[in-house]
Amino acid sequence: MKHVMLGLVVLIATFSLQAQVKTPQPSPTSKIEQTVGLTQIAVEYSRPSLRGRHLYGYLLPYGELWRTGANANTKVTFSDDVVIGGKPLKAGTYALYTKPDKIAWDIIFYKASDNWGLPKTWDASQVALETKSEVYPNPVSLETFTISFADLTNDSAVMRLSWGLRFASFKIEVPTDDIVMKDIERAMSGTTANDYYAAAVYYFESGKDIDQAKTWIDTCISMTENPAFYQLRKQSLIYAKAGDKEGAIATAKKSLEAAKIAGNTDYIKMNTASLEEWGAL
C-alpha cells in the first residue's frame, strides 16, 4: 500500500511540473541600448500599461516616488561619465527613480540599483544625482509606458519618459570630444596615414583649428601612395575652409578624376558642385 501511495505522489508531482502554464507578464521587461557619440547607454525596465486606468494623480500619485516602470526598479547604465542637468554623473549602473508632478518631474539616479521597486529605507547618501524635468504633452496617448532617446548628436541625447498624454524629458551630455582628443593624442605617438586622416576630419567637422586639420590632411596624403577620391575630397574641403581656394580647386580636380576612375557618381557630383561654386567650371 505504501508503494502505491508513493507512486501516486510521484505521479501527481510529475504531472504538476508538466502542467505548468506560461502566461504573458502584465508589464513585460524591455532593454534598450543607445550609442551617443562614443558613449553606450543601456536601460532595463518593465513596461506597465494603462488598461483603462486613470493615470496622473491616481496610478501615478503626484509628488510620490516611483520606480519609473513596474516590477524591479528601472536600471540605467552609462559606459562613461556624463552630465545631466548640468551635474556630473560617474559611469556605472543606477536605479532611476522619479517623482511625477503636473509641471515638472524630479529625476533621481540612485547608486543602489538592485531593489525590487523602491528601497525599503530611502538612503539620501545613495542619491548620485537629482535634477528636474519639465513635462510636455504627447501628440497621442501612449497606452504603455515608454522610455526612449531623441535629439541625438555626437555630444548629447534626450531621454524621454512617456505615458498617457504626457512625457518628461531630460538631456544627457556625453564626453565625446574628450574621448576623441585623448585617442588622437595616443594615436599621434605612432601615427599612420589613417590616424592623420581621422584627426583632420574630426577637427574639420568639429570646428576646431582648421590650420592643424590642414597640416594633418597634408601629412596623410603625403604618406599615401595613391590617395583615394574621398581623401582628396576631404582635403579640398579643408583647404577651402582654411581660405586656400587655389589649393581647394586643384585638389577637388584630383578627387573628381579619381572618382571618375572609381565610377563613384556621388563624389563626381559633389566635386563638380564644389568646383562650380568656387568658379573653376
Side-chain angles (χ1 to χ4, degrees), residues 1-275:
M1 184 66 179
K2 289 183 179 179
H3 293 294
V4 173
M5 291 300 295
L6 180 60
L8 285 172
V9 170
V10 172
L11 181 62
I12 291 170
T14 303
F15 178 77
S16 297
L17 289 172
Q18 292 175 343
Q20 288 180 350
V21 177
K22 291 183 179 180
T23 59
Q25 292 182 339
S27 301
T29 57
S30 179
K31 182 175 182 178
I32 57 173
E33 296 180 342
Q34 180 62 60
T35 301
V36 184
L38 296 171
T39 299
Q40 306 298 321
I41 304 176
V43 181
E44 298 177 67
Y45 71 118
S46 293
R47 305 181 62 192
S49 295
L50 291 175
R51 297 187 180 87
R53 297 174 292 181
H54 188 65
L55 181 56
Y56 293 104
Y58 297 90
L59 192 57
L60 288 185
Y62 290 131
E64 293 188 13
L65 273 173
W66 181 40
R67 70 188 73 185
T68 321
N71 304 326
N73 57 253
T74 292
K75 294 182 182 180
V76 183
T77 301
F78 303 100
S79 65
D80 301 298
D81 297 352
V82 298
V83 174
I84 299 174
K87 302 174 184 178
L89 182 65
K90 292 290 185 182
T93 298
Y94 300 91
L96 176 62
Y97 295 119
T98 51
K99 281 185 183 178
D101 212 330
K102 291 182 180 179
I103 299 175
W105 286 26
D106 290 335
I107 308 294
I108 303 166
F109 288 90
Y110 199 76
K111 296 175 186 176
S113 60
D114 292 322
N115 297 289
W116 184 265
L118 298 173
K120 291 181 179 179
T121 302
W122 186 261
D123 184 353
S125 69
Q126 291 292 310
V127 175
L129 183 146
E130 184 170 356
T131 188
K132 283 193 176 291
S133 164
E134 292 188 16
V135 176
Y136 304 91
N138 264 330
V140 295
S141 180
L142 286 182
E143 168 68 16
T144 303
F145 175 62
T146 301
I147 297 178
S148 61
F149 291 93
D151 303 337
L152 294 169
T153 71
N154 283 341
D155 304 302
S156 66
V158 171
M159 182 182 283
R160 287 185 175 179
L161 313 174
S162 305
W163 204 7
L165 288 170
R166 300 177 195 170
F167 72 88
S169 67
F170 55 92
K171 188 175 184 179
I172 302 170
E173 298 175 80
V174 297
T176 304
D177 190 63
D178 290 344
I179 296 171
V180 174
M181 293 303 295
K182 288 176 182 177
D183 281 347
I184 288 173
E185 290 173 9
R186 282 195 297 269
M188 291 307 164
S189 62
T191 46
T192 66
N194 286 336
D195 293 328
Y196 280 115
Y197 179 78
V201 170
Y202 181 75
Y203 263 50
F204 169 70
E205 293 181 350
S206 299
K208 292 184 176 292
D209 187 346
I210 193 62
D211 291 328
Q212 181 64 74
K214 189 172 184 287
T215 298
W216 281 337
I217 196 68
D218 285 347
T219 304
C220 164
I221 298 302
S222 68
M223 294 173 67
T224 307
E225 186 174 354
N226 294 303
F229 55 85
Y230 63 85
Q231 292 175 313
L232 294 166
R233 166 71 179 167
K234 195 64 69 173
Q235 186 182 34
S236 71
L237 294 176
I238 291 172
Y239 273 35
K241 192 171 183 179
D244 184 356
K245 186 176 179 180
E246 184 178 343
I249 290 172
T251 309
K253 287 180 177 179
K254 293 179 183 178
S255 178
L256 177 60
E257 292 306 311
K260 287 179 179 178
I261 293 171
N264 191 297
T265 56
D266 288 339
Y267 275 79
I268 292 172
K269 290 178 182 177
M270 288 189 289
N271 281 304
T272 300
S274 292
L275 289 168

